[in-house]
Each structure stands twice: as structure tokens, then as C-alpha cells.
């Protein structure tokens, strides 16, 4: 069984969300987390059987942070996962490793599983420095964490050049980076983490991706907003 995490970004309006929930209600959801926009979290919790995640979380606890959503608030809603460090937040909101450490710490304090995204840009892949980049992204956060909390964190390997482009690495490339991340954390901290692959996962490539045993699941953007496509992927990940 693989974990399926849907990152629905801001793709859907309220009516589309209601249709999506209706159309997916017969799917087996115990290994499926949907991360809707904050404004639809309640709808998913009320009307669907999916596990529910957030797409982001505040670095700070409850208090004077206009426009933010805290880990404590998410926990009080029934949210059990949160994405941290997505490449769109790294680039659009200039978020840093320091912030990811704060966010992950707040999530762990509130019993929410962080899904921490790492991945290289195309130029970095072309320079053959993918592992240096990914290793740095992991260690800048993990070096500061209490080792006892590390196994609660899920890492999502998402090459930036693959997100929303339809291009994906070869299975061998995914295996290479996934094993690198797992070995790094095992060797440095003596801990095991789950690693997801993300970037243009869809119904046409899921069978090929599923040939990779070392990957523990998928972080899926666009395809997670289309009920038929998500149901198909879910059926392949049971
Ligand atoms: P994509 O997005 O599946 O649309 O490429 C993945 C993501 O951004 O997490």
C-alpha cells in the first residue's frame, strides 16, 4: 500500500469541491490524504472519508499573526497532515529552511504529520548536483530537530522541473534520490523516514512509478483534483 497525498492548491471553487467529494465518495480512502485550500477543510472533514491535510502552516503559535493559520488551529479542526516547504512556497513566498524548521516543530507539537518537500531545479539537475541540493535541504532542517521526532516526518521528493510540467524523472533517478535521502537520515541520525515522490504523477505513469518499491507513496497536484483520475490512482495504490 502506498500513501496518496493530494495537493489541490487553489485549483477548485466551492461547487467543484462539492462535486469532487460526491464523485469520490465510493473510493477506499484510508491511505489517502487530501490537502484542500484552507477554506474547504471543513467541507472535506464533514462530507468525505479522506484524511485531511493542510497545504501550509504558520511558523508561529496562536496569537497576533494576521492571515496565518496555526498548527494548533489545524489540530483543533481535525487536520492530521500538513505540507511544508513546497517549491511554490519556497519561490513565491521566499520561505527558508529556518521557517520550515519552525513550521515542522509546531506541527509535531500539535500531533500533525509534516510532509516536507525537497527537490532540485532543472539547472541543478543538469549540473549533476541534485543530491547536494536535496541533502542540504534535508539537513538544514533535520540538524536542528530532536532526533526522537524525525520518524514522524514524511519527506516528499519533488523535482521542481517536474511539478505541473508532465515531465518526470526515470524510475532509476527516483530510486537513486529516494535511497540517498533515506540513507542520509539513517547514517546521520540513525532514523528511518518515509519518502514520497511528487511531480506530474498521473494515471498514465502510475503503473510505471509503482514498480519502485522504495518509494512510500505520492504527492499529487493537478491529477488529485480530477475525481476519476484520482480514483484510478487510488485503486493502484491500495
Ligand atoms: P503536479 O504537482 O502533480 O501537478 O505536478 C505536484 C505538487 O506540486 O505537489
Amino acid at each position: 500500500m502506498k500513501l496518496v497525498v493530494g495537493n489541490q492548491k487553489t485549483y477548485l471553487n466551492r461547487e467543484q469541491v462539492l462535486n469532487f467529494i460526491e464523485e469520490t465518495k465510493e473510493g477506499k480512502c484510508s491511505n489517502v490524504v487530501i490537502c484542500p485550500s484552507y477554506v474547504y477543510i471543513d467541507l472535506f472533514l464533514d462530507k468525505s472519508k479522506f484524511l485531511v491535510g493542510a497545504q501550509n502552516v504558520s511558523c508561529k503559535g496562536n496569537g497576533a499573526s494576521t492571515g496565518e493559520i496555526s498548527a494548533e488551529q489545524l489540530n483543533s479542526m481535525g487536520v492530521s497532515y500538513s505540507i511544508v516547504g513546497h517549491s511554490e512556497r519556497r519561490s513565491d513566498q521566499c520561505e527558508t529552511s529556518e521557517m520550515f524548521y519552525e513550521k515542522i516543530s509546531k506541527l509535531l507539537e500539535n500531533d500533525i504529520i509534516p510532509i516536507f518537500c525537497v527537490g532540485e531545479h532543472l539547472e541543478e539537475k543538469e549540473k549533476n548536483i541534485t543530491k547536494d541540493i536535496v541533502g542540504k535541504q534535508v539537513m538544514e532542517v533535520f540538524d536542528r530537530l530532536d532526533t526522537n521526532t524525525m520518524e514522524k516526518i514524511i519527506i516528499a521528493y519533488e523535482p521542481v522541473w517536474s511539478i505541473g510540467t508532465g515531465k518526470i524523472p526515470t524510475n532509476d533517478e527516483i530510486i537513486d534520490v529516494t535511497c540517498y535521502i533515506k540513507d542520509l537520515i539513517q547514517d546521520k541520525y540513525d532514523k528511518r523516514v518515509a519518502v514520497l515522490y511528487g511531480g506530474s504523477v498521473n494515471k498514465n505513469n502510475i503503473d510505471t512509478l509503482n514498480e519502485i518499491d522504495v518509494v512510500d507513496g505520492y504527492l499529487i497536484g493537478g491529477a488529485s483534483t480530477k475525481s476519476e483520475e484520482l480514483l484510478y490512482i487510488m485503486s493502484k495504490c491500495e
Side-chain angles (χ1 to χ4, degrees), residues 60-79:
K60 298 187 185 165
N62 285 0
S65 301
T66 304
E68 291 289 326
I69 310 281
S70 71
E72 190 184 327
Q73 289 177 315
L74 292 174
N75 170 288
S76 73
M77 296 284 291
V79 167

Side-chain angles (χ1 to χ4, degrees), residues 5-9 11 83 86-88 117 156 158-168 197-202 218-224 226:
V5 182
N7 172 13
Q8 297 198 329
K9 310 190 185 188
Y11 282 119
I83 298 170
H86 191 279
S87 68
E88 286 150 17
C117 303
E158 295 207 301
V160 180
W161 54 272
S162 179
I163 295 175
T165 59
K167 295 181 191 148
I168 62 168
Y197 168 74
S200 293
V201 177
N202 62 39
Y218 306 105
L219 179 53
I220 309 174
S224 78
K226 298 171 194 137

Side-chain angles (χ1 to χ4, degrees), residues 7-21:
N7 172 13
Q8 297 198 329
K9 310 190 185 188
T10 58
Y11 282 119
L12 303 178
N13 64 30
R14 188 173 193 279
E15 193 185 339
Q16 291 167 325
V17 166
L18 289 169
N19 288 339
F20 174 90
I21 291 172

Side-chain angles (χ1 to χ4, degrees), residues 23-224:
E23 288 159 9
T24 51
K25 70 176 182 218
E26 305 303 338
K28 288 206 185 121
C29 298
S30 57
N31 59 324
V32 185
V33 183
I34 296 292
C35 303
S37 298
Y38 285 132
V39 286
Y40 306 132
I41 282 177
D42 231 4
L43 283 181
F44 273 90
L45 286 166
D46 268 8
K47 295 183 189 294
S48 82
K49 286 182 284 170
F50 292 114
L51 296 162
V52 177
Q55 295 175 16
N56 178 41
V57 66
S58 174
C59 298
K60 298 187 185 165
N62 285 0
S65 301
T66 304
E68 291 289 326
I69 310 281
S70 71
E72 190 184 327
Q73 289 177 315
L74 292 174
N75 170 288
S76 73
M77 296 284 291
V79 167
S80 39
Y81 292 78
S82 177
I83 298 170
V84 173
H86 191 279
S87 68
E88 286 150 17
R89 297 202 63 87
R90 287 178 189 263
S91 58
D92 301 345
Q93 271 75 32
C94 305
E95 291 192 355
T96 61
S97 296
E98 168 72 28
M99 296 165 84
F100 304 144
Y101 164 73
E102 297 294 345
K103 287 170 189 245
I104 288 173
S105 302
K106 293 284 179 301
L107 291 169
L108 292 171
E109 281 164 24
N110 286 282
D111 295 323
I112 298 174
I113 298 171
I115 301 170
F116 177 45
C117 303
V118 296
E120 82 285 4
H121 288 268
L122 186 58
E123 314 82 78
E124 294 161 341
K125 177 182 165 56
E126 285 168 353
K127 282 193 207 147
N128 219 3
I129 55 170
T130 294
K131 289 181 191 165
D132 299 335
I133 297 298
V134 167
K136 185 167 180 283
Q137 290 171 337
V138 169
M139 282 189 298
E140 279 179 356
V141 172
F142 272 63
D143 270 350
R144 301 186 54 192
L145 288 167
D146 175 351
T147 46
N148 293 321
T149 64
M150 288 179 181
E151 293 188 352
K152 296 184 185 142
I153 299 168
I154 297 172
I155 293 186
Y157 169 52
E158 295 207 301
V160 180
W161 54 272
S162 179
I163 295 175
T165 59
K167 295 181 191 148
I168 62 168
T170 63
N171 278 9
D172 283 347
E173 287 171 329
I174 295 172
I175 291 167
D176 195 31
V177 180
T178 303
C179 290
Y180 173 74
I181 294 169
K182 290 191 177 195
D183 291 349
L184 178 72
I185 291 171
Q186 179 75 56
D187 294 347
K188 204 154 187 256
Y189 313 106
D190 198 20
K191 298 290 168 194
R192 285 163 185 264
V193 290
V195 177
L196 312 181
Y197 168 74
S200 293
V201 177
N202 62 39
K203 64 177 186 313
N204 299 321
N205 56 32
I206 191 67
D207 284 328
T208 308
L209 288 167
N210 268 340
E211 288 165 14
I212 308 176
D213 286 334
V214 74
V215 163
D216 300 291
Y218 306 105
L219 179 53
I220 309 174
S224 78

